[in-house]
Amino acid sequence: MIRVLASDGMNKAAAADLRAKGYEVVEQFYEPEDLKRELANYDVLVVRSATKVREPIIDAAVEAGRLKLVIRGGVGVDNIDVKYAESKGLKVTNTPKASSDSVAELALGHMLAMARYISIANVTMREGKWEKKKYEGVELAGKTLGLIGMGRISQSIARKATALGMKVMYTDIFEIKGLPEEYVCATQEEVLKNADFVSLHIPAAKDGKPVITAEHLAMMKPTAFIVNTARGGLIDEDALVDALEQDKLAGAALDVFAKEPLQNERVMNCPKISLTPHIGGSTKEAQGRIGQEIVEIIENFFNK
């Protein structure tokens, strides 16, 4: 029997579907040293973001000789040493389509929350404060949305933002074909300087350093907002708080962080930052689609 380890859990319907098809599915998180040992008993490893599949784990799995397939339930594969795994004969794949709309909606939700002070007003009202005059916001309509990276998620945001009356400009290292003519392609510097709302949708840098530094934040308008629902560490968190405290930026929204759970107290306590705990893909619909895609990947791999 083919055994599947879902180390970060799995959609119930998907797990049931796999079991009905004759697979054994175990949902259990293991710390790295334990995972190295346990992978000798599995053919497939399914992870989300909590489990890190690094070289020592890959070496142990390859030495044991059973593991054949690693699946990242989600878009990014930063938590997997993909090239190394593939060089050792393991197949690595992800589910890039499943959560695009969910992440896009969260990013757009954060933009609305920042523009209209929804996050902070919710907190201060529960403290008994009625700060109506303080929370004069801005409209998204007529504003420019700048997208850093123009993959599936960014394209989903762009469609939704356009429906709200926003203008779209973007930058990407690749030429993206088939986009609406009204989307303006520009350099990253041009996007940062001209956008009213900037949303990041790029992988982490290979060296792990921030992609958006104090220098980049200084390029932005003091009335601008920045959103990161992509990867933790893309923005220099302390530089971001500095810019917000000095009124060099109007606001920020973060769903991902350099260290998770969030440990940076400056970020936690900054009232100009809208925070969510890495829930970009956490919708019932997205989890269902991710589960279905995982089932399809496993079925196609073992029943070619």
Side-chain angles (χ1 to χ4, degrees), residues 18-189:
L18 283 172
R19 291 181 179 116
K21 294 178 185 298
Y23 300 90
E24 182 180 350
V25 179
V26 176
E27 298 179 68
Q28 175 66 53
F29 177 79
Y30 291 102
E31 295 294 340
E33 287 303 314
D34 295 326
L35 183 61
K36 286 196 294 186
R37 180 180 65 253
E38 289 295 328
L39 285 179
N41 303 312
Y42 293 93
D43 304 276
V44 183
L45 172 63
V46 180
V47 304
R48 291 297 305 276
S49 57
T51 298
K52 314 299 180 187
V53 188
R54 301 305 183 199
E55 291 186 11
I57 289 173
I58 293 166
D59 286 338
V62 170
E63 184 177 353
R66 182 164 181 175
L67 188 70
K68 304 173 185 67
L69 176 63
V70 180
I71 303 172
R72 164 67 162 96
V75 179
V77 290
D78 298 341
N79 56 319
I80 304 171
D81 289 336
V82 178
K83 290 184 178 179
Y84 188 78
E86 292 178 338
S87 74
K88 296 293 184 176
L90 298 179
K91 172 70 175 178
V92 180
T93 188
N94 62 348
T95 60
K97 301 176 183 178
S99 59
S100 295
D101 281 335
S102 296
V103 178
E105 287 187 5
L106 180 67
L108 192 58
H110 271 301
M111 292 179 206
L112 289 163
M114 291 187 295
R116 298 306 306 273
Y117 296 100
I118 295 172
S119 296
I120 189 62
N122 181 57
V123 173
T124 56
M125 283 194 70
R126 294 173 190 277
E127 295 173 346
K129 299 176 183 178
W130 186 266
E131 299 183 319
K132 182 175 180 177
K133 293 183 179 180
K134 184 177 180 179
Y135 299 138
E136 181 182 42
V138 296
E139 298 176 356
L140 268 61
K143 302 299 189 297
T144 297
L145 169 62
L147 297 163
I148 309 293
M150 198 57 174
R152 290 184 179 90
I153 295 171
S154 284
Q155 291 177 42
S156 179
I157 295 173
R159 289 191 296 270
K160 295 170 173 56
T162 300
L164 291 174
M166 299 186 80
K167 304 168 188 176
V168 174
M169 65 186 307
Y170 71 93
T171 186
D172 200 289
I173 60 173
F174 301 106
E175 180 183 357
I176 311 298
K177 297 181 179 180
L179 297 176
E181 291 183 1
E182 61 266 29
Y183 294 1
V184 177
C185 182
T187 65
Q188 178 173 296
E189 182 175 339

Side-chain angles (χ1 to χ4, degrees), residues 181-199:
E181 291 183 1
E182 61 266 29
Y183 294 1
V184 177
C185 182
T187 65
Q188 178 173 296
E189 182 175 339
E190 289 170 335
V191 169
L192 291 171
K193 286 182 175 180
N194 291 285
D196 300 295
F197 292 83
V198 172
S199 191

Side-chain angles (χ1 to χ4, degrees), residues 206-249:
K206 291 182 180 180
D207 60 8
K209 294 181 179 179
V211 175
I212 302 298
T213 63
E215 181 181 358
H216 296 100
L217 295 171
M219 295 178 187
M220 297 176 65
K221 302 175 184 178
T223 54
F225 302 84
I226 190 166
V227 182
N228 184 15
T229 57
R231 300 288 179 273
L234 285 180
I235 304 175
D236 183 324
E237 291 177 351
D238 286 313
L240 176 62
V241 175
D242 288 341
L244 292 167
E245 289 180 345
Q246 296 166 20
D247 294 326
K248 294 179 180 179
L249 277 180

